[in-house]
Amino acid sequence: MFDFKNKIAVVTGGARGIGKCIRDNFERAGATVCVIDVLDNDYFVGDISDKETLERFAKRVIEEHGRVDFLINNAAPKSVGITDGAYEDFEYALRVGVSAPFYLTKLFAPYFSEGASIVNISSSRDRMSQPETESYTAAKGGISALTHSLAVSLAGKARVNSVSPGWIDNNYTVYEGADAVQQPVGRVGKPTDIAYAVMYLCSDMAGFITGENICVDGGMTRQMIYHGDCGWKLEK
């Protein structure tokens, strides 16, 4: 379905989970993928919370390829809560989840090819929360807002969209019962569900879409569930 031959894609947090799935699928579609991650990988190991690290990474990508077709800001911020989370932890989460995507976009902006696409990975937590997840939720809310702002600023240069995953199981576990049916589609999500959405937004098929956030959560945020519904019970 997707033909990305001779395309250059940049994926942050591409060494595992959703990021690795995105990388693998882009490579299967013919793209050359440049990954940055704190985990070991075959392209660039580094912490995107650090400004100089981002500059070194961007410099290498441009020196080797001269352009960027797709930028996927996927690296996940740290999650800490209001009770035990330190100021430094919260600040670090925002650097990873919001500042780094902003700065990478700025660094690559002069090198985006015609028809370039940026996809930011947000979360359904940009609109809903669990207790003690303030840093992660704030970062994901920030990247969703940054998306439509960048879409306006980069009009004519790159399309900018975001994807908000719901419950995605990186081990492709098959769930049954309440875990499954709390999503109207009847199952928990897989990394490929997110990778395919990202690839669509990067393709010419999405050429009229920019500044949008697509929630890929099996409908979970649209289904009201009360105590006793769908096998779900609130326990305190």
Side-chain angles (χ1 to χ4, degrees):
M1 180 181 296
F2 301 106
D3 182 0
F4 293 144
K5 291 183 180 67
N6 301 317
K7 299 294 186 180
I8 307 300
V10 171
V11 181
T12 70
R16 67 176 176 184
I18 291 173
K20 185 177 186 302
C21 184
I22 291 171
R23 173 192 180 163
D24 291 346
N25 278 276
F26 267 93
E27 289 181 336
R28 290 189 191 102
T32 297
V33 183
C34 304
V35 164
I36 181 171
D37 202 306
V38 292
L39 299 177
D40 188 50
N41 66 85
D42 61 5
Y43 191 77
F44 196 101
V45 176
D47 186 342
I48 67 169
S49 72
D50 179 67
K51 179 175 179 284
E52 292 184 358
T53 297
L54 293 174
E55 291 169 346
R56 288 190 291 108
F57 171 66
K59 184 174 185 287
R60 176 175 173 181
V61 172
I62 297 308
E63 285 181 346
E64 293 181 357
H65 303 290
R67 73 181 197 279
V68 171
D69 296 290
F70 311 128
L71 170 59
I72 316 302
N73 290 304
N74 164 80
K78 184 176 185 178
S79 183
V80 298
I82 189 68
T83 301
D84 297 321
Y87 174 88
E88 291 77 12
D89 293 329
F90 191 90
E91 183 184 46
Y92 179 78
L94 294 184
R95 289 205 309 270
V96 170
V98 183
S99 300
F102 167 80
Y103 196 47
L104 271 185
T105 301
K106 182 178 179 66
L107 291 170
F108 286 132
Y111 305 98
F112 285 134
S113 60
E114 183 177 356
S117 179
I118 301 167
V119 181
N120 299 318
I121 304 301
S122 182
S123 169
S124 58
R125 292 171 190 264
D126 63 5
R127 68 206 69 187
M128 60 191 297
S129 295
Q130 289 177 297
E132 302 296 334
T133 61
E134 279 72 24
S135 68
Y136 188 89
T137 299
K140 292 305 184 180
I143 195 68
S144 291
L146 181 65
T147 294
H148 59 74
S149 182
L150 287 174
V152 175
S153 296
L154 297 178
K157 183 182 289 287
R159 292 183 300 104
V160 188
N161 294 287
S162 59
V163 173
S164 288
W167 182 0
I168 305 297
D169 189 287
N170 288 323
N171 295 317
Y172 294 85
T173 304
V174 177
Y175 292 83
E176 297 179 351
D179 285 335
V181 299
Q182 65 180 311
Q183 283 91 193
V185 299
R187 66 172 176 85
V188 170
K190 303 174 290 186
T192 49
D193 293 318
I194 307 306
Y196 295 155
V198 171
M199 295 172 81
Y200 168 71
L201 289 172
C202 288
S203 74
D204 292 339
M205 290 182 284
F208 198 56
I209 303 175
T210 194
E212 285 298 318
N213 176 282
I214 299 177
C215 189
V216 182
D217 71 341
M220 187 175 183
T221 55
R222 298 303 188 192
Q223 177 165 260
M224 294 180 67
I225 299 180
Y226 293 92
H227 176 75
D229 288 348
C230 302
W232 187 90
K233 294 182 179 179
L234 178 62
E235 297 181 358
K236 290 188 175 181

